[in-house]
Amino acid sequence: MVETRGARRQSVGLPGVTAKGLGSTTGPGRKSKTTSTKDGDWSQGGSRGDSLWAHLGPMLFILGIIGTTPFVAVIVWHMFVNLDGSLTGIVEAFKQKGLRLIPEIWPWTSKRAWQLLGSYAAFEAFLQMYLPGKEFRATTTSNGNVPVYKANGVQSLVVTVVAFFLCWRFDLTSPKEVYDLFGELLAGMAIFSIFFCVFLQIKGHVSPTDEDSGSCGNHVYDFWWGMELYPKLFGLNIKQFTNCRFGMMAWAVLPVIFACYQYERDGFLADSVAVTTLLMSVYNFKFFLWETGYFNSMDIQHDRAGYYICWGCLVWVPAVYASPALYVASVAPAVTLGRDVSALIAVLGLLSIWINYDSDVQRQEFRASGGKKLVWGKQPQIVTAEYKVMKHGKWETKKSLLLASGWWGLARHFHYLPEIAASFFWTAPALFGKLPPYLYVIFLTLLLIDRSIRDDKRCSAKYGKHWVKYCELVPYKVVPGIF
C-alpha cells in the first residue's frame, strides 16, 4: 500500500510530517491549509506545537522502550544460558541486587567478538550488493520513487551457511566460540545499534536519499520511527541490510550453529534441538524464498529506518527470535522428546509454515495477475478499492484489488495465525515447565495483533467506503470467528 508519511504517523497517534516536498496534510477536495504550531490534537495525531503534557505520555513510553530493550536483550541471553530459563531465578536475582545486577551480568564485548560481528556484517553487505540476483521493483511510493532491489536472498542464505561450515572446517571459528561469545555479540550490537540509529537520524536531516523522508518536528519520535523510508549508504539499501541480511540471516544461521554446539557438547543431536532447528530453518528459507514479497510488506513500505525497525532487526531478532533455539541447545542434559512426539511437532510446525507461505503466495499471485488468477479453483471475490495519492502537487486516483477469497476470505490478516502457530511449534520442544522459552511466541502474538489493528486503521483511512465493503465480506482481522 502506498501511504504518505503524515498519514502513517497520524494512524498511530504521532504528529503529522512537516517536511519540504511531502505535501500538505489536507485530503482531496479539502481546502489547502498550512498547519500552525497550535493546530492538532495529540490523540488524533496533532502537530509538533501541542503542549508538553499532550506529548509526555507517549514520549515517556517510547523513551522507556529505548532505555530498557538493550538490557532486556542481554537479560534474555543470561536467563537462558546461565539460569536454565528460570523466570523465578531472574526475578530473585533482581530482588536481591536490584539494578546492580545488570553490570554484573553484562558481557562486555571483547576484541574477538567485535571481529566476528564486523566480519559477519561486512560479508553480508558484500553478498547483498555483489551476489547475482534478479532486479525487483517494489510498489511506487507516494512521491513517485520506485524502490529497486537485488533479489538474491536464497543465494545469500546458502552462501552464508556454507561459509560458516568452511570457517569451522578451517578453524577460523567454531559453534562453541559463537555460543560462548553470543552474549558479548548481543551486548556489542545493543550499544552499537543505538549509535547507528542516531547516525540514521542525522542522515535523514542533512542528507536524505530521496523525497521519501521527513521530520515530525520531535527528535524522540524521529529517532524511534525513523526519517527515511528507503535510505542508502554507498549504494547499500540500509533496510534490506538491517532487516534481511543482518537480522533475518542471523536468525536463519544461529539455530544451526546452536545445534552444532549441542552436538559437539553431547556427542549426539538431541531430537528437541533437531525439531526446533528444522522448523526455524524451513521458516527462514521460506522467508528468503519469498523475500520480494517482504519488500512490499508493512516493515519495508511503511515503517521507516529508525530504532523501531533497525535496532529491532539488528538486536531484537537475534536475541529474542532465535531464543528458543538458544534455550533448547543450552539445556543439559538435552531434552529427549521421543520419535512420536518429535514427528507430531515437526508435522504440525511444517503445516503451519506451509499455510503461512501459501497464503502470502496466494495474494502475491492474485495481485500479479490483476485479479484474474483462480483462487482455490474458483473465480475470486474482489473489492476494487480506489484511493488518492499526491503526485507532483496534484491528487491522482489509483486502484487496489482486495482479495476476499481463499485464505484471505477467512480473515483480513489470516497469514498471521499460522505464523504464530509455527512459532509455538518450534518452541514446543522446550516443553511446558517454564514460561520464558515462550517469550517469542508471546511477543509475536502481541506484535501481530497490534500490526493488524494499525493496518486496518491505515487501510480504512486510505480506502474509505471500499474498506467498509471489504470488512463486510471479511469481518475478522486474524482469527476466523473470534478476532
Side-chain angles (χ1 to χ4, degrees), residues 299-310:
D299 284 1
I300 299 296
Q301 283 192 308
H302 304 295
D303 292 334
R304 307 221 161 202
Y307 188 93
Y308 174 76
I309 281 293
C310 292

Side-chain angles (χ1 to χ4, degrees), residues 314-353:
L314 292 171
V315 184
W316 197 251
V317 169
V320 175
Y321 288 38
S323 63
L326 174 66
Y327 175 74
V328 294
S330 298
V331 174
V335 175
T336 299
L337 300 174
R339 183 183 61 185
D340 293 343
V341 174
S342 297
L344 178 63
I345 294 175
V347 169
L348 292 176
L350 291 171
L351 178 62
S352 300
I353 294 170

Side-chain angles (χ1 to χ4, degrees), residues 181 219 251 272:
L181 294 179
H219 293 303
W251 185 17
S272 57

Side-chain angles (χ1 to χ4, degrees), residues 16-47:
V17 180
T18 55
K20 183 179 180 181
L22 293 177
S24 71
T25 56
T26 58
R30 300 179 188 175
K31 184 178 180 181
S32 179
K33 175 179 178 290
T34 301
T35 304
S36 73
T37 57
K38 295 300 181 183
D39 291 330
D41 173 69
W42 174 250
S43 64
Q44 302 300 322
S47 60

Side-chain angles (χ1 to χ4, degrees), residues 283-431:
Y283 177 85
N284 283 300
F285 178 79
K286 181 270 301 181
F287 171 84
F288 287 107
L289 189 65
W290 172 79
E291 189 179 35
T292 53
Y294 179 69
F295 295 149
N296 283 328
S297 72
M298 177 184 286
D299 284 1
I300 299 296
Q301 283 192 308
H302 304 295
D303 292 334
R304 307 221 161 202
Y307 188 93
Y308 174 76
I309 281 293
C310 292
W311 188 95
C313 289
L314 292 171
V315 184
W316 197 251
V317 169
V320 175
Y321 288 38
S323 63
L326 174 66
Y327 175 74
V328 294
S330 298
V331 174
V335 175
T336 299
L337 300 174
R339 183 183 61 185
D340 293 343
V341 174
S342 297
L344 178 63
I345 294 175
V347 169
L348 292 176
L350 291 171
L351 178 62
S352 300
I353 294 170
W354 177 81
I355 293 174
N356 175 254
Y357 174 74
D358 190 60
S359 60
D360 283 325
V361 170
Q362 186 179 81
R363 183 171 61 177
Q364 196 172 14
E365 292 180 346
F366 163 78
R367 289 173 174 172
S369 70
K372 298 177 181 178
K373 185 176 178 61
L374 297 179
V375 175
W376 288 356
K378 300 178 180 179
Q379 288 293 335
Q381 195 167 15
I382 302 170
V383 174
T384 302
E386 294 184 349
Y387 63 99
K388 294 183 181 293
V389 297
M390 176 71 74
K391 188 173 182 180
H392 305 306
K394 296 181 180 180
W395 291 100
E396 290 188 3
T397 299
K398 293 183 176 293
K399 294 182 179 180
S400 287
L401 299 180
L402 307 180
L403 177 60
S405 297
W407 299 116
W408 302 95
L410 301 177
R412 299 192 294 275
H413 309 277
F414 175 79
H415 60 319
Y416 292 163
L417 185 59
E419 186 167 356
I420 293 170
S423 71
F424 171 80
F425 288 119
W426 67 55
T427 309
L431 301 181

Side-chain angles (χ1 to χ4, degrees), residues 58-252:
M59 190 185 302
L60 289 177
F61 174 74
I62 290 173
L63 288 172
I65 294 177
I66 295 172
T68 56
T69 44
F71 303 107
V72 172
V74 171
I75 290 170
V76 169
W77 160 81
H78 174 71
M79 182 166 52
F80 286 174
V81 172
N82 299 321
L83 298 179
D84 195 29
S86 172
L87 181 61
T88 302
I90 196 67
V91 170
E92 288 299 321
F94 270 108
K95 281 183 179 180
Q96 294 176 10
K97 300 184 178 181
L99 295 179
R100 290 182 292 109
L101 178 67
I102 293 177
E104 288 186 14
I105 66 173
W106 190 267
W108 296 102
T109 308
S110 62
K111 179 180 178 180
R112 178 56 179 165
W114 283 119
Q115 289 174 342
L116 291 177
L117 280 174
S119 300
Y120 169 70
F123 185 67
E124 293 304 323
F126 177 84
L127 294 182
Q128 178 180 323
M129 294 188 69
Y130 299 109
L131 200 63
K134 292 183 179 180
E135 180 182 278
F136 176 77
R137 292 178 174 266
T139 304
T140 304
T141 72
S142 56
N143 285 296
N145 296 313
V146 180
V148 179
Y149 301 90
K150 184 183 288 186
N152 57 7
V154 173
Q155 299 94 306
S156 296
L157 174 62
V158 172
V159 171
T160 299
V161 172
V162 171
F164 169 74
F165 280 101
L166 288 175
C167 288
W168 184 13
R169 171 65 179 82
F170 293 103
D171 295 325
L172 298 177
T173 188
S174 68
K176 186 177 188 306
E177 180 181 47
V178 175
Y179 178 87
D180 290 343
L181 294 179
F182 188 56
E184 296 183 25
L185 299 174
L186 287 178
M189 283 307 300
I191 301 303
F192 170 81
S193 299
I194 293 175
F195 290 101
F196 180 68
C197 291
V198 171
F199 164 76
L200 290 178
Q201 184 176 7
I202 295 172
K203 180 184 180 300
H205 275 289
V206 302
S207 183
T209 299
D210 53 36
E211 297 85 355
D212 290 301
S213 178
S215 170
C216 73
N218 184 300
H219 293 303
V220 173
Y221 300 128
D222 285 344
F223 179 78
W224 170 251
W225 285 114
M227 296 187 63
E228 294 190 79
L229 189 57
Y230 297 109
K232 289 186 177 181
L233 188 63
F234 303 116
L236 181 73
N237 185 306
I238 296 297
K239 279 172 64 180
Q240 184 182 9
F241 174 74
T242 59
N243 295 27
C244 303
R245 294 301 180 268
F246 194 101
M248 290 300 297
M249 193 65 71
W251 185 17

